[in-house]
Amino acid sequence: MELTSDALVDTLLAAGVLSLLVTLWLWPRLARQRPLPLLGRIALLSVTQATVLAVLAVSVNNSFGFYTSWDGLLHPGGAALSLTGSAHPKGAAPNTEALVQPTTEGGLETVTDLPKGAPEEVGKVESIQVTGKESGLSDQMFIYLPPEYFNPKYSRMRFPVLLALAGFPGSALHLLSEVHLPQTAEELQSTGQMAPTIIVMARPTVAEPRNTECVDVPGGPQTETWFAKDIPTALRSTYRVSRSPASWGMFGYSTGGSCALRLTMRFPDVFGNAAGLHADFTVPDDYTTGGNLFAGNRALQDQSDLTWRLRNVPVPNVSLLLVSTRKEEDYAATQAFLGLAQQVSAEHPELRTDSLFLDDGGHNFDSWRRELPASLQWLSDHLATPQDREPRP
């Protein structure tokens, strides 16, 4: 029974109700003030409280995505730093050299509203395990392949890529179950509002429970290397994806939005476009990051400060979309960054910045779902159609 499945919640809930009924039934029989009846009452209360707490714990975990599997819960951090077992044909040894391998982890089977049909008609979502050579990191993520990917007519075409990051704390599964990213993309593509695009869905940290904010931590997880180098390399080794940064984009909400903007501005030779929903423009130093991620190195910290970068480093050739609501706490900071970026763009047109603001909404999935269609359309308009095709044999 999967950790994130509804069946586990229902089972624990039934156990809680049953333990409550048993407690009410046995309580009068254990009313005498003797050691055994006293121990019996303590045991009944303990079992009832344990089942109630288990229901709450699993429900909270499903809502925030702290852990997506039993292995991740029982061995925290283990899956992030070493490749876990992947699904492979019965009787065949797994290809340990492959940077991308299929996996059954992550809870994909719990998402029931994915488009139904043949891959060449509605596309396909797969659960994969990606391994990084430079960072030494490995993590589970999801990939959406559009219908055209399975159409022989496009068999020599390389596709644009959108790397999408969830928030923190959270899992890549939230991009499917809560934000409905591949579902919305399939709908937009089927109506001609979005070009066929490969979408890779990941979480922003691979060193839980620490929030690494997609940066290389001195002496710690090399998360920036993971996203900017390892994942593109792994995808290019496995899928028909474009090699041009103009055809690569990033999307994210909350911490994922911050990462999308930061990685794109720091690596314009990898990502040419980014849409950041409700993002921050500096790397926080709080309890989620476990203190200063740069070990007090001011120079490293400045390099990841997007406002500092606009003022002090060469302007990157990228397109950015800032998305938020006028009710958000970060609205003033977003407006300040947007104003500075537009001033810089007036002298350096290679930096292109747009914005989208809803009149209401907060830091939640409801707002991100409402902002998603326009964000995907903007990204599709800015992701260049790849001109590179696979070489003829």
Side-chain angles (χ1 to χ4, degrees):
M1 196 177 297
E2 292 289 339
L3 178 61
T4 56
S5 66
D6 290 337
L8 179 59
V9 177
D10 294 339
T11 300
L12 291 173
L13 187 60
V17 172
L18 179 61
S19 65
L20 178 60
L21 293 176
V22 171
T23 299
L24 293 175
W25 179 59
L26 291 178
W27 197 264
R29 294 166 173 79
L30 300 173
R32 287 184 291 180
Q33 301 300 316
R34 292 183 179 180
L36 287 179
L38 180 61
L39 290 174
R41 294 198 299 271
I42 293 175
L44 289 173
L45 291 175
S46 298
V47 170
T48 302
Q49 289 182 341
T51 53
V52 171
L53 289 175
V55 171
L56 291 175
V58 172
S59 299
V60 169
N61 181 70
N62 290 353
S63 297
F64 291 95
F66 295 106
Y67 302 97
T68 60
S69 67
W70 289 109
D71 186 66
L73 174 64
L74 300 176
H75 306 92
L81 300 175
S82 61
L83 181 62
T84 59
S86 301
H88 53 277
K90 209 175 224 183
N95 180 5
T96 56
E97 298 298 322
L99 300 178
V100 177
Q101 298 191 52
T103 176
T104 56
E105 292 186 359
L108 181 60
E109 72 285 349
T110 65
V111 183
T112 59
D113 62 344
L114 291 173
K116 302 294 192 297
E120 59 270 19
E121 296 176 355
V122 299
K124 185 180 181 181
V125 177
E126 298 177 341
S127 178
I128 57 176
Q129 186 85 13
V130 179
T131 302
K133 285 187 174 181
E134 291 199 36
S135 68
L137 296 171
S138 178
D139 203 17
Q140 182 270 344
M141 54 191 67
F142 303 100
I143 185 167
Y144 166 76
L145 303 171
E148 288 78 4
Y149 193 86
F150 303 94
N151 188 330
K153 181 180 177 180
Y154 298 88
S155 62
R156 306 186 65 81
M157 177 64 70
R158 293 183 179 272
F159 289 80
V161 181
L162 180 61
L163 176 57
L165 302 182
F168 178 89
S171 71
L173 190 66
H174 282 171
L175 288 159
L176 296 89
S177 62
E178 304 296 338
V179 181
H180 302 159
L181 176 54
Q183 298 93 318
T184 304
E186 191 276 334
E187 182 178 344
L188 292 175
Q189 291 178 28
S190 65
T191 56
Q193 300 177 74
M194 181 179 180
T197 304
I198 290 176
I199 303 176
V200 181
M201 293 156 276
R203 56 177 178 166
T205 185
V206 287
E208 59 185 11
R210 192 180 191 189
N211 178 12
T212 52
E213 284 282 336
C214 304
V215 304
D216 282 351
V217 180
Q222 302 299 285
T223 321
E224 184 178 78
T225 299
W226 162 249
F227 285 113
K229 297 181 181 180
D230 286 340
I231 291 179
T233 297
L235 294 176
R236 291 182 181 120
S237 74
T238 308
Y239 300 99
R240 302 195 311 274
V241 298
S242 173
R243 297 185 178 93
S244 169
S247 301
W248 281 68
M250 293 201 70
F251 166 90
Y253 60 86
S254 190
T255 298
S258 306
C259 291
L261 297 178
R262 188 181 308 115
L263 288 165
T264 299
M265 290 186 67
R266 283 181 55 77
F267 297 92
D269 57 334
V270 180
F271 307 107
N273 314 274
L277 281 57
H278 303 230
D280 291 323
F281 306 98
T282 60
V283 175
D285 181 353
D286 57 23
Y287 72 96
T288 68
T289 61
N292 190 287
L293 288 171
F294 305 102
N297 188 318
R298 184 67 188 185
L300 289 178
Q301 188 165 342
D302 286 342
Q303 287 293 329
S304 293
D305 185 321
L306 301 191
T307 301
W308 184 93
R309 295 189 68 82
L310 284 179
R311 292 179 172 140
N312 295 279
V313 301
V315 176
N317 180 18
V318 296
S319 297
L320 306 177
L321 175 65
L322 308 182
V323 184
S324 192
T325 73
R326 304 184 195 282
K327 302 291 187 181
E328 258 282 30
E329 292 182 5
D330 69 349
Y331 177 65
T334 303
Q335 286 283 47
F337 179 84
L338 178 62
L340 177 59
Q342 291 175 338
Q343 290 178 20
V344 172
S345 298
E347 297 183 10
H348 302 276
E350 60 269 32
L351 174 66
R352 300 161 297 278
T353 310
D354 294 315
S355 61
L356 168 66
F357 294 102
L358 298 181
D359 288 333
D360 62 353
H363 205 82
N364 52 52
F365 288 118
D366 177 68
S367 296
W368 299 326
R369 280 192 296 268
R370 288 190 290 147
E371 295 159 352
L372 178 62
S375 300
L376 289 179
Q377 288 177 285
W378 182 93
L379 282 162
S380 182
D381 289 342
H382 288 77
L383 287 171
T385 302
Q387 299 301 313
D388 51 335
R389 292 174 179 265
E390 292 181 340
R392 293 185 180 277

PDB file of all heavy atoms in Angstrom, residues 12 25 34 60 64 80 84 107 129 175 180 249 257 260 262 270 295 308 346 372 377 382:
ATOM      1  N   LEU A  12      -6.443   3.615   7.704  1.00  0.00           N
ATOM      2  CA  LEU A  12      -6.138   4.190   9.014  1.00  0.00           C
ATOM      3  C   LEU A  12      -7.378   4.825   9.645  1.00  0.00           C
ATOM      4  O   LEU A  12      -7.583   4.744  10.853  1.00  0.00           O
ATOM      5  CB  LEU A  12      -5.026   5.230   8.882  1.00  0.00           C
ATOM      6  CG  LEU A  12      -3.631   4.680   8.541  1.00  0.00           C
ATOM      7  CD1 LEU A  12      -2.656   5.821   8.279  1.00  0.00           C
ATOM      8  CD2 LEU A  12      -3.117   3.791   9.675  1.00  0.00           C
ATOM      9  N   TRP A  25     -16.822   0.268  24.079  1.00  0.00           N
ATOM     10  CA  TRP A  25     -17.440  -0.996  24.473  1.00  0.00           C
ATOM     11  C   TRP A  25     -16.737  -1.607  25.691  1.00  0.00           C
ATOM     12  O   TRP A  25     -17.369  -2.137  26.602  1.00  0.00           O
ATOM     13  CB  TRP A  25     -17.396  -1.957  23.288  1.00  0.00           C
ATOM     14  CG  TRP A  25     -17.994  -3.304  23.591  1.00  0.00           C
ATOM     15  CD1 TRP A  25     -19.268  -3.560  24.007  1.00  0.00           C
ATOM     16  CD2 TRP A  25     -17.332  -4.562  23.496  1.00  0.00           C
ATOM     17  NE1 TRP A  25     -19.452  -4.915  24.182  1.00  0.00           N
ATOM     18  CE2 TRP A  25     -18.282  -5.563  23.870  1.00  0.00           C
ATOM     19  CE3 TRP A  25     -16.054  -4.956  23.127  1.00  0.00           C
ATOM     20  CZ2 TRP A  25     -17.955  -6.913  23.887  1.00  0.00           C
ATOM     21  CZ3 TRP A  25     -15.740  -6.304  23.124  1.00  0.00           C
ATOM     22  CH2 TRP A  25     -16.679  -7.273  23.520  1.00  0.00           C
ATOM     23  N   ARG A  34      -7.788  -1.412  39.499  1.00  0.00           N
ATOM     24  CA  ARG A  34      -6.786  -2.436  39.705  1.00  0.00           C
ATOM     25  C   ARG A  34      -5.736  -2.331  38.595  1.00  0.00           C
ATOM     26  O   ARG A  34      -6.009  -1.739  37.531  1.00  0.00           O
ATOM     27  CB  ARG A  34      -7.429  -3.827  39.717  1.00  0.00           C
ATOM     28  CG  ARG A  34      -8.327  -4.060  40.936  1.00  0.00           C
ATOM     29  CD  ARG A  34      -8.879  -5.465  40.933  1.00  0.00           C
ATOM     30  NE  ARG A  34      -9.730  -5.704  42.102  1.00  0.00           N
ATOM     31  CZ  ARG A  34     -10.343  -6.849  42.336  1.00  0.00           C
ATOM     32  NH1 ARG A  34     -10.193  -7.859  41.483  1.00  0.00           N
ATOM     33  NH2 ARG A  34     -11.094  -6.996  43.418  1.00  0.00           N
ATOM     34  N   VAL A  60      -1.601  15.089   6.220  1.00  0.00           N
ATOM     35  CA  VAL A  60      -0.719  16.248   6.083  1.00  0.00           C
ATOM     36  C   VAL A  60       0.398  15.955   5.085  1.00  0.00           C
ATOM     37  O   VAL A  60       0.748  16.786   4.240  1.00  0.00           O
ATOM     38  CB  VAL A  60      -0.132  16.655   7.449  1.00  0.00           C
ATOM     39  CG1 VAL A  60       0.982  17.684   7.280  1.00  0.00           C
ATOM     40  CG2 VAL A  60      -1.230  17.216   8.344  1.00  0.00           C
ATOM     41  N   PHE A  64       1.170  18.150   1.665  1.00  0.00           N
ATOM     42  CA  PHE A  64       2.391  18.925   1.472  1.00  0.00           C
ATOM     43  C   PHE A  64       3.508  18.145   0.782  1.00  0.00           C
ATOM     44  O   PHE A  64       4.504  18.732   0.377  1.00  0.00           O
ATOM     45  CB  PHE A  64       2.893  19.451   2.819  1.00  0.00           C
ATOM     46  CG  PHE A  64       2.006  20.498   3.411  1.00  0.00           C
ATOM     47  CD1 PHE A  64       1.029  20.167   4.342  1.00  0.00           C
ATOM     48  CD2 PHE A  64       2.128  21.824   3.020  1.00  0.00           C
ATOM     49  CE1 PHE A  64       0.201  21.136   4.889  1.00  0.00           C
ATOM     50  CE2 PHE A  64       1.295  22.800   3.563  1.00  0.00           C
ATOM     51  CZ  PHE A  64       0.337  22.456   4.496  1.00  0.00           C
ATOM     52  N   ALA A  80      17.873  10.580  -2.391  1.00  0.00           N
ATOM     53  CA  ALA A  80      18.362  11.776  -3.055  1.00  0.00           C
ATOM     54  C   ALA A  80      19.830  11.651  -3.429  1.00  0.00           C
ATOM     55  O   ALA A  80      20.288  12.279  -4.362  1.00  0.00           O
ATOM     56  CB  ALA A  80      18.174  12.988  -2.145  1.00  0.00           C
ATOM     57  N   THR A  84      18.118   4.676  -6.648  1.00  0.00           N
ATOM     58  CA  THR A  84      17.324   3.590  -6.098  1.00  0.00           C
ATOM     59  C   THR A  84      16.987   2.601  -7.198  1.00  0.00           C
ATOM     60  O   THR A  84      17.152   2.878  -8.375  1.00  0.00           O
ATOM     61  CB  THR A  84      16.017   4.128  -5.490  1.00  0.00           C
ATOM     62  OG1 THR A  84      15.280   4.806  -6.519  1.00  0.00           O
ATOM     63  CG2 THR A  84      16.305   5.115  -4.386  1.00  0.00           C
ATOM     64  N   GLY A 107       4.060   7.819  -6.775  1.00  0.00           N
ATOM     65  CA  GLY A 107       2.615   7.926  -6.628  1.00  0.00           C
ATOM     66  C   GLY A 107       1.858   8.335  -7.872  1.00  0.00           C
ATOM     67  O   GLY A 107       0.743   8.853  -7.779  1.00  0.00           O
ATOM     68  N   GLN A 129      13.570   7.922 -12.972  1.00  0.00           N
ATOM     69  CA  GLN A 129      14.641   8.196 -12.023  1.00  0.00           C
ATOM     70  C   GLN A 129      15.807   8.763 -12.817  1.00  0.00           C
ATOM     71  O   GLN A 129      16.278   8.152 -13.759  1.00  0.00           O
ATOM     72  CB  GLN A 129      15.054   6.917 -11.294  1.00  0.00           C
ATOM     73  CG  GLN A 129      16.067   7.131 -10.185  1.00  0.00           C
ATOM     74  CD  GLN A 129      15.415   7.514  -8.869  1.00  0.00           C
ATOM     75  OE1 GLN A 129      14.212   7.391  -8.716  1.00  0.00           O
ATOM     76  NE2 GLN A 129      16.199   7.986  -7.927  1.00  0.00           N
ATOM     77  N   LEU A 175       2.734  18.864  -8.946  1.00  0.00           N
ATOM     78  CA  LEU A 175       2.568  19.498 -10.254  1.00  0.00           C
ATOM     79  C   LEU A 175       1.485  18.800 -11.070  1.00  0.00           C
ATOM     80  O   LEU A 175       0.874  19.405 -11.945  1.00  0.00           O
ATOM     81  CB  LEU A 175       3.896  19.483 -11.018  1.00  0.00           C
ATOM     82  CG  LEU A 175       4.948  20.452 -10.470  1.00  0.00           C
ATOM     83  CD1 LEU A 175       6.345  20.042 -10.911  1.00  0.00           C
ATOM     84  CD2 LEU A 175       4.648  21.886 -10.915  1.00  0.00           C
ATOM     85  N   HIS A 180      -2.092  20.524 -11.764  1.00  0.00           N
ATOM     86  CA  HIS A 180      -2.638  19.966 -13.011  1.00  0.00           C
ATOM     87  C   HIS A 180      -1.849  20.445 -14.234  1.00  0.00           C
ATOM     88  O   HIS A 180      -2.429  20.804 -15.257  1.00  0.00           O
ATOM     89  CB  HIS A 180      -4.119  20.343 -13.151  1.00  0.00           C
ATOM     90  CG  HIS A 180      -4.971  19.892 -12.010  1.00  0.00           C
ATOM     91  ND1 HIS A 180      -6.205  20.459 -11.714  1.00  0.00           N
ATOM     92  CD2 HIS A 180      -4.770  18.929 -11.060  1.00  0.00           C
ATOM     93  CE1 HIS A 180      -6.713  19.875 -10.647  1.00  0.00           C
ATOM     94  NE2 HIS A 180      -5.860  18.945 -10.227  1.00  0.00           N
ATOM     95  N   GLY A 249      12.954  26.052 -21.323  1.00  0.00           N
ATOM     96  CA  GLY A 249      12.375  27.005 -20.388  1.00  0.00           C
ATOM     97  C   GLY A 249      12.185  26.380 -19.018  1.00  0.00           C
ATOM     98  O   GLY A 249      12.253  25.158 -18.857  1.00  0.00           O
ATOM     99  N   GLY A 257       9.431  28.642  -8.269  1.00  0.00           N
ATOM    100  CA  GLY A 257       9.459  29.845  -9.093  1.00  0.00           C
ATOM    101  C   GLY A 257      10.738  30.632  -8.891  1.00  0.00           C
ATOM    102  O   GLY A 257      11.319  31.169  -9.848  1.00  0.00           O
ATOM    103  N   ALA A 260      13.386  28.830 -10.759  1.00  0.00           N
ATOM    104  CA  ALA A 260      13.252  28.989 -12.210  1.00  0.00           C
ATOM    105  C   ALA A 260      13.877  30.296 -12.672  1.00  0.00           C
ATOM    106  O   ALA A 260      14.637  30.334 -13.652  1.00  0.00           O
ATOM    107  CB  ALA A 260      11.773  28.927 -12.597  1.00  0.00           C
ATOM    108  N   ARG A 262      16.094  32.195 -10.999  1.00  0.00           N
ATOM    109  CA  ARG A 262      17.519  32.258 -10.657  1.00  0.00           C
ATOM    110  C   ARG A 262      18.367  31.417 -11.605  1.00  0.00           C
ATOM    111  O   ARG A 262      19.405  31.870 -12.103  1.00  0.00           O
ATOM    112  CB  ARG A 262      17.724  31.796  -9.210  1.00  0.00           C
ATOM    113  CG  ARG A 262      19.148  32.001  -8.703  1.00  0.00           C
ATOM    114  CD  ARG A 262      19.307  31.517  -7.274  1.00  0.00           C
ATOM    115  NE  ARG A 262      18.290  32.096  -6.400  1.00  0.00           N
ATOM    116  CZ  ARG A 262      17.348  31.392  -5.790  1.00  0.00           C
ATOM    117  NH1 ARG A 262      17.294  30.082  -5.953  1.00  0.00           N
ATOM    118  NH2 ARG A 262      16.465  31.971  -5.016  1.00  0.00           N
ATOM    119  N   VAL A 270      21.785  27.647 -20.951  1.00  0.00           N
ATOM    120  CA  VAL A 270      21.016  26.403 -20.784  1.00  0.00           C
ATOM    121  C   VAL A 270      19.527  26.677 -20.907  1.00  0.00           C
ATOM    122  O   VAL A 270      18.817  25.996 -21.644  1.00  0.00           O
ATOM    123  CB  VAL A 270      21.311  25.747 -19.414  1.00  0.00           C
ATOM    124  CG1 VAL A 270      20.494  24.459 -19.252  1.00  0.00           C
ATOM    125  CG2 VAL A 270      22.793  25.460 -19.256  1.00  0.00           C
ATOM    126  N   ALA A 295      27.349  29.250   3.638  1.00  0.00           N
ATOM    127  CA  ALA A 295      28.344  29.190   4.718  1.00  0.00           C
ATOM    128  C   ALA A 295      28.946  30.562   5.005  1.00  0.00           C
ATOM    129  O   ALA A 295      30.126  30.681   5.332  1.00  0.00           O
ATOM    130  CB  ALA A 295      29.447  28.184   4.373  1.00  0.00           C
ATOM    131  N   TRP A 308      20.850  42.007  -7.237  1.00  0.00           N
ATOM    132  CA  TRP A 308      22.284  42.287  -7.315  1.00  0.00           C
ATOM    133  C   TRP A 308      22.812  41.962  -8.712  1.00  0.00           C
ATOM    134  O   TRP A 308      23.617  42.698  -9.270  1.00  0.00           O
ATOM    135  CB  TRP A 308      23.018  41.459  -6.267  1.00  0.00           C
ATOM    136  CG  TRP A 308      24.497  41.730  -6.189  1.00  0.00           C
ATOM    137  CD1 TRP A 308      25.145  42.609  -5.383  1.00  0.00           C
ATOM    138  CD2 TRP A 308      25.522  41.088  -6.978  1.00  0.00           C
ATOM    139  NE1 TRP A 308      26.498  42.577  -5.604  1.00  0.00           N
ATOM    140  CE2 TRP A 308      26.756  41.649  -6.579  1.00  0.00           C
ATOM    141  CE3 TRP A 308      25.520  40.108  -7.965  1.00  0.00           C
ATOM    142  CZ2 TRP A 308      27.971  41.255  -7.149  1.00  0.00           C
ATOM    143  CZ3 TRP A 308      26.719  39.719  -8.534  1.00  0.00           C
ATOM    144  CH2 TRP A 308      27.924  40.283  -8.120  1.00  0.00           C
ATOM    145  N   ALA A 346      15.512  48.588 -20.967  1.00  0.00           N
ATOM    146  CA  ALA A 346      15.494  49.751 -21.858  1.00  0.00           C
ATOM    147  C   ALA A 346      16.860  49.980 -22.499  1.00  0.00           C
ATOM    148  O   ALA A 346      16.957  50.453 -23.642  1.00  0.00           O
ATOM    149  CB  ALA A 346      15.065  50.988 -21.074  1.00  0.00           C
ATOM    150  N   LEU A 372      -1.782  29.237 -14.234  1.00  0.00           N
ATOM    151  CA  LEU A 372      -1.078  28.282 -15.071  1.00  0.00           C
ATOM    152  C   LEU A 372      -1.343  28.431 -16.571  1.00  0.00           C
ATOM    153  O   LEU A 372      -0.379  28.470 -17.355  1.00  0.00           O
ATOM    154  CB  LEU A 372      -1.415  26.862 -14.609  1.00  0.00           C
ATOM    155  CG  LEU A 372      -0.793  25.730 -15.425  1.00  0.00           C
ATOM    156  CD1 LEU A 372       0.729  25.789 -15.360  1.00  0.00           C
ATOM    157  CD2 LEU A 372      -1.297  24.367 -14.931  1.00  0.00           C
ATOM    158  N   GLN A 377       0.976  29.487 -21.927  1.00  0.00           N
ATOM    159  CA  GLN A 377       0.863  30.123 -23.237  1.00  0.00           C
ATOM    160  C   GLN A 377       2.019  31.093 -23.467  1.00  0.00           C
ATOM    161  O   GLN A 377       2.578  31.156 -24.564  1.00  0.00           O
ATOM    162  CB  GLN A 377      -0.482  30.843 -23.350  1.00  0.00           C
ATOM    163  CG  GLN A 377      -1.665  29.888 -23.495  1.00  0.00           C
ATOM    164  CD  GLN A 377      -2.989  30.630 -23.527  1.00  0.00           C
ATOM    165  OE1 GLN A 377      -3.481  31.114 -22.508  1.00  0.00           O
ATOM    166  NE2 GLN A 377      -3.560  30.739 -24.710  1.00  0.00           N
ATOM    167  N   HIS A 382       7.384  31.910 -26.232  1.00  0.00           N
ATOM    168  CA  HIS A 382       8.798  32.296 -26.139  1.00  0.00           C
ATOM    169  C   HIS A 382       9.758  31.135 -26.366  1.00  0.00           C
ATOM    170  O   HIS A 382      10.943  31.371 -26.646  1.00  0.00           O
ATOM    171  CB  HIS A 382       9.074  32.944 -24.777  1.00  0.00           C
ATOM    172  CG  HIS A 382       8.491  34.309 -24.637  1.00  0.00           C
ATOM    173  ND1 HIS A 382       7.147  34.536 -24.402  1.00  0.00           N
ATOM    174  CD2 HIS A 382       9.060  35.545 -24.727  1.00  0.00           C
ATOM    175  CE1 HIS A 382       6.916  35.838 -24.346  1.00  0.00           C
ATOM    176  NE2 HIS A 382       8.044  36.477 -24.537  1.00  0.00           N
TER     177      HIS A 382
END
